[in-house]
């Protein structure tokens, strides 16, 4: 078992457990807790369910999990999110158990109806056979879903796998992405939505002194412009994306660079290399032989040394950051290719002042990420929340970054310097290894920071400083545009 026993199935006739739903017509739906950015989770996780349940993978539909860290926590993170190549590592047994549990429930329901021993029945390719009878699983969905979820379902012997490890298993997202039916965050078009784009500081850390939107107001489709509560930029609202970008280009912004980053790339490189050449400030791991490492290096037959520098680099996903906040009767729905629902949920609650229960996250396909959509500050989510908060909150707000925005001012992979000295003996075997690294921590201020020093920011607190109030320069009623026609199992 990956973590305890199977959770009780949630209420709802077709929910067998948090990861498996089966419709009345027998269609199996895999609830995928790790978002799909091209790495294959929308195929690999449903494959685990299909293998254990006994159905064809082509017959399994896919839904991305809602934001619910209680059910869909990443067992290796402690929060709901995707990254670090952890999707299969924390889900392999979990999803196999989910499929196996649903199978046992269906077999038990068939055995009950047929007055047979469940062990004499077989479920294969969506059909249950035995006791001289056979029927599709659709016949037993209602009765099976009402049963108790088995705590320790029997898993298949890996030697009998037909889908797992089969090179002929095709990706489930190929078809939708080829025919255009796959929905990405960039595809969201809601009735009466506003499009928001942000003019950001040309230097990291710059803040807005003033802005003049008079030229932007002349662009057809322009709605309004306002300074973000954080003073980190100016948000421009328009009726469509083209108008928003044109209006933003026309808005004049005066910046304060007093506290902004002003070092050149060469200066950053020099500072990091100087750091790895100096005595280390922190020792990452104590262990046998650490104290004698220098001595062994000094007496090594051969010493190999090298310095390496990795510059700041943009993640550059194919689909730039984009998300939409839609008002609902009791809160909001975020439509996003969401890599870290837990962080996004906290960010939205903090900025908008909403209880967690009033926030829903609709995860869509993401056009790449490479970590871009899981920043420590939930940057584009916070921007979208601020932009939405500064309206009257009656219309959807779609935040759009251009590719140029992301290349020039996105969340970069940190610059890092390495210096290594390796001591070898006469046989070429390593006798000592001294590796020194200097760079910005990717965990500081994020949920995973607790793994480093035991500190975990209280839920939502790190976003509360970004709360947005209705600014005086944005009308309470935004001008109206013409309405278009349209857990783990434990």
């Amino acid at each position: 078992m990956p973590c305890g026993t199977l959770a009780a199935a949630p209420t709802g006739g077709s929910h067998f457990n948090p990861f498996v739903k089966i419709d009345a017509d027998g269609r199996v739906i895999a609830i995928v807790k790790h978002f799909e950015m091209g790495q294959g989770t929308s195929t690999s996780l449903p494959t685990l369910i299909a293998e254990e349940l006994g159905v064809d993978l082509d017959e399994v539909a896919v839904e991305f999990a809602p934001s619910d860290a209680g059910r869909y926590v990443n067992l290796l993170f402690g929060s709901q999110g995707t990254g670090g190549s952890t999707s299969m590592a924390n889900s392999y047994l979990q999803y196999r158990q989910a499929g196996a549990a649903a199978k046992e429930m269906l077999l038990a329901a068939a055995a009950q109806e047929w007055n047979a021993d469940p062990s004499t029945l077989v479920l294969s390719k969506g059909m249950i056979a035995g006791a001289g009878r056979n029927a599709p699983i659709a016949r037993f969905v209602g009765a099976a879903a009402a049963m108790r979820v088995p705590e320790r379902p029997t898993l298949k012997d890996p030697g009998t796998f037909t889908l797992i490890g089969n090179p002929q298993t095709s990706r489930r997202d190929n078809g939708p992405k080829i025919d255009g039916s796959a929905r990405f965050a960039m595809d969201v078009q809601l009735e009466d939505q506003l499009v928001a784009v942000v003019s950001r500081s040309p230097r990291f850390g710059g803040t807005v002194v003033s802005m003049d939107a008079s030229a932007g107001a002349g662009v057809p489709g322009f709605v309004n412009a306002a300074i973000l509560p954080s003073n980190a930029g100016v948000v421009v609202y328009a009726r469509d994306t083209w108008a928003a970008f044109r209006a933003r280009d026309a808005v004049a912004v005066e910046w304060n660079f007093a506290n902004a980053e002003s070092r050149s790339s060469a200066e950053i490189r020099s500072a990091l290399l100087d750091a790895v050449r100096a005595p280390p400030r922190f020792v990452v791991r104590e262990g046998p032989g650490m104290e004698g490492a220098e001595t062994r290096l000094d007496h090594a037959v051969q010493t190999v040394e090298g310095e390496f520098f990795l510059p700041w680099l943009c993640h550059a996903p194919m689909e730039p950051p984009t998300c939409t906040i839609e008002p609902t009767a009791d809160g909001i729905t975020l439509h996003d290719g969401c890599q870290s629902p837990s962080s996004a949920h906290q960010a939205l609650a903090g900025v908008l002042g909403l209880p967690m229960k009033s926030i829903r996250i609709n995860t869509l396909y993401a056009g790449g990420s490479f970590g871009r959509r899981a920043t420590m500050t939930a940057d584009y989510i916070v921007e979208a929340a601020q932009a939405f908060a500064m309206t009257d909150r009656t219309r959807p707000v779609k935040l759009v970054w251009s590719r140029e925005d992301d290349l020039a001012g996105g969340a970069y992979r940190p610059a890092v310097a390495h210096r290594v000295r390796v001591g070898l003996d006469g046989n070429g075997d390593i006798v000592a290894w001294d590796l020194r690294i200097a760079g910005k921590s990717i965990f500081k201020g994020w949920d995973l920071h607790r793994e480093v020093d035991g500190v975990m920011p209280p839920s939502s607190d790190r976003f509360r400083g970004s709360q947005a109030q209705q600014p005086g320069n944005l009308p309470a009623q935004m001008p109206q545009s013409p309405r278009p026609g349209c857990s783990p199992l434990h």
Side-chain angles (χ1 to χ4, degrees), residues 19-20 28 30-31 45-54 95-96 98-99:
F19 307 107
V20 179
V28 178
I31 310 300
L45 300 185
T47 296
L48 302 176
I49 289 174
E51 183 73 76
E52 293 289 349
L53 181 54
Y95 273 70
R96 287 183 62 196

Side-chain angles (χ1 to χ4, degrees), residues 312-357:
W312 291 88
L313 287 177
C314 182
H315 298 86
M318 184 177 294
E319 178 195 22
T322 298
C323 65
T324 301
I325 296 179
E326 178 185 12
T328 60
D330 65 342
I332 60 137
T333 295
L334 172 72
H335 303 277
D336 181 34
C338 195
Q339 184 167 358
S340 181
S342 289
S343 291
H345 213 138
Q346 290 182 15
L348 292 166
V351 176
L352 299 176
L354 292 172
M356 298 285 276
K357 66 180 181 180

Side-chain angles (χ1 to χ4, degrees), residues 50 105-106 108 112 181 202 213 232-234 238 298 332-333 347 367 396 411 446 453 465 478 486:
M105 294 162 73
L106 288 164
Q112 188 176 71
S181 61
V234 172
D298 291 341
I332 60 137
T333 295
W446 197 27
D453 60 8
M478 301 286 284
C486 77

